[in-house]
Amino acid sequence: MTERAYLDWNATAPLRPEARAAMAAALDLPGNPSSIHAEGRAVRAAIERARAQVAALFAVEPADVTFTSGGTEANGLALNPEIQVSGGGRSFDRLLVSAIEHPAVLGGGRFAPSAVEILPVTPEGLLDLVALQRALTGPGRPLVSVMLANNETGILQPVPEAAHLVHEAGGLLHVDAVQAPGRVAVEVGNLGADLVSVSAHKLGGPKGVGALIRRSDAIHIATPLMRGGGQERGIRAGTENVAGIVGFGAAAEICRLRLADEAAHQRKLQKRLEDGIRAASPGSVIFGAGAARLPNTTLVALPGLKAETAVIACDLAGLAVSSGSACSSGKVEPSHVLAAMGVAPALAQGAVRVSLGFGSSEADIEMFLKTWKKLSESLGRERRGIAA
Ligand code: PLP
């Protein structure tokens, strides 16, 4: 089989070897973490070690980490009108979300659709803070959800600024940070967020596990999604996904220890990639090129080139990339993110996302650039043929 280059790390990252090893060991632990015998206590200890590892990555206390089945569930748990805040009394009346959120947030969680307001973004792909400020003056207590890094463009959102406005208005801020860890530092206190959703599989942990993190014990989720045995302090019932949680912890620890090196590695490859794309196809558009962005994400369109054509050509050439958002892979739908940025549908239809990670190499980038150059040249030939 020919070598392949995996350039779709925003869809999911390959499992880190350290996570795999920790998971293999955890799979052999026989006990139930809720049992009080030695076998049960050993599994409990493994979970609590992982909780501490995850807490350290996000600079919170272990008790502020609630494990879930992933980012989607963490978002669903957070978007809840009944969140209790010490000294804050009342529940939340409405939900404000940015137009570029992941569908797991745009769905509105447990708020009635009529209580959800969508906030615009600027043409640069940033949450419109003036619109947020205006929306915050509306009636009722607001819960606001803003992502840290967009999964399609990689553009970093002005979260600390949003937090300031939200708190001044007596609201609560939830941040979907699923795409950020392992790429940029995510310290909950520095963000000013009250609740933060994360997912293991984007940072080299296993799929199917994540966490909802709270700023402090002043915040309490009074109405869980899953009720039952009282696991996760009653916030998320059900026997824990022990191997998943342990793998998440191991990956989080490596992420924390290697962040500076891994981010610099990704930034260097991203620059080579984007320089190469511009050289091979001067007419191409790299979305958010001027904005603060994740060091691993490049969303590019070449006018006239359809994303499906590019993705299929790349696949045949041994490259895994995606068109627009790949979370629901398989279906190619116009990007709501680019639409919110005011990108013309014809250009948005061509958006191809190349996303890198700790395991990406210069050879991967050169392989992509070779294929991209061919695509650009054949588009040029087609155009000349039509014109002739
Ligand atoms: N939020 C964002 C920004 C994402 O990119 C994704 C998945 O791609 C999710 C949430 C969902 O996370 P999970 O796949 O863990 O449910």
Side-chain angles (χ1 to χ4, degrees):
M1 207 181 117
T2 50
E3 282 264 310
R4 289 188 61 88
Y6 184 73
L7 296 171
D8 200 11
W9 291 63
N10 285 12
T12 195
L15 192 65
R16 291 181 187 264
E18 297 83 357
R20 175 190 297 276
M23 291 174 77
L27 286 170
D28 284 331
L29 295 173
N32 182 316
S34 297
S35 301
I36 57 169
H37 45 59
E39 287 81 357
R41 292 196 309 276
V43 185
R44 168 63 48 210
I47 290 180
E48 295 315 318
R49 193 177 317 118
R51 197 186 307 280
Q53 289 168 318
V54 171
L57 179 61
F58 299 104
V60 293
E61 293 299 319
D64 297 325
V65 174
T66 300
F67 288 116
T68 64
S69 65
T72 300
E73 186 189 332
N75 286 340
L77 199 52
L79 303 186
N80 175 352
E82 301 304 327
I83 293 170
Q84 290 173 358
V85 185
S86 298
R90 293 176 301 126
S91 57
F92 294 87
D93 306 296
R94 55 206 189 98
L95 175 66
L96 310 179
V97 303
S98 89
I100 56 168
E101 296 299 311
H102 188 271
V105 166
L106 283 176
R110 277 175 281 176
F111 283 81
S114 59
V116 182
E117 190 176 330
I118 309 284
L119 302 169
V121 296
T122 64
E124 293 73 39
L126 296 171
L127 169 68
D128 184 337
L129 290 168
V130 176
L132 169 63
Q133 197 164 19
R134 200 177 313 121
L136 286 168
T137 61
R141 195 174 186 208
L143 177 64
V144 179
S145 187
V146 176
M147 66 198 334
L148 180 52
N150 184 263
N151 43 306
E152 296 185 26
T153 61
I155 295 173
L156 291 162
Q157 297 302 309
V159 169
E161 292 82 354
H164 179 71
L165 295 175
V166 171
H167 292 149
E168 264 195 333
L172 198 77
L173 180 67
H174 164 253
V175 172
D176 176 343
V178 164
Q179 290 291 347
R183 298 156 187 174
V184 290
V186 187
E187 296 198 358
V188 173
N190 290 347
L191 290 177
D194 298 297
L195 288 164
V196 175
S197 297
V198 294
S199 177
H201 73 105
K202 310 288 185 182
L203 53 85
K207 299 167 187 67
V209 59
L212 181 63
I213 296 172
R214 61 180 182 185
R215 144 174 76 77
S216 74
D217 63 3
I219 296 174
H220 177 61
I221 308 279
T223 50
L225 287 171
M226 316 270 262
R227 293 166 193 274
Q231 289 89 348
E232 295 296 289
R233 300 181 320 282
I235 300 170
R236 206 278 182 177
T239 300
E240 295 86 341
N241 170 7
V242 179
I245 288 171
V246 166
F248 185 10
E253 178 154 308
I254 299 294
C255 259
R256 182 173 60 80
L257 297 175
R258 298 193 191 146
L259 175 65
D261 287 349
E262 290 186 351
H265 171 70
Q266 295 172 67
R267 183 70 75 197
K268 185 171 148 232
L269 294 182
Q270 185 187 47
K271 180 166 181 342
R272 169 69 195 120
L273 171 71
E274 296 187 0
D275 287 349
I277 288 174
R278 288 193 184 99
S281 54
S284 60
V285 177
I286 295 176
F287 298 100
R293 248 183 319 146
L294 290 176
N296 79 318
T297 308
T298 299
L299 186 68
V300 59
L302 182 56
L305 179 64
K306 280 221 160 24
E308 298 97 288
T309 311
V311 170
I312 293 166
C314 283
D315 193 31
L316 292 173
L319 293 150
V321 297
S322 74
S323 59
S325 165
C327 246
S328 45
S329 263
K331 54 177 187 185
V332 183
E333 281 174 3
S335 156
H336 70 285
V337 174
L338 293 179
M341 288 166 64
V343 174
L347 186 62
Q349 263 182 18
V352 175
R353 183 183 68 186
V354 184
S355 52
L356 319 173
F358 53 84
S360 300
S361 67
E362 282 179 22
D364 295 340
I365 304 297
E366 297 312 323
M367 197 167 150
F368 174 80
L369 289 175
K370 207 168 131 194
T371 301
W372 186 259
K373 191 161 184 270
K374 275 191 199 158
L375 281 166
S376 164
E377 284 168 355
S378 77
L379 189 70
R381 274 195 301 277
E382 250 173 59
R383 284 215 174 112
R384 284 194 296 277
I386 289 166

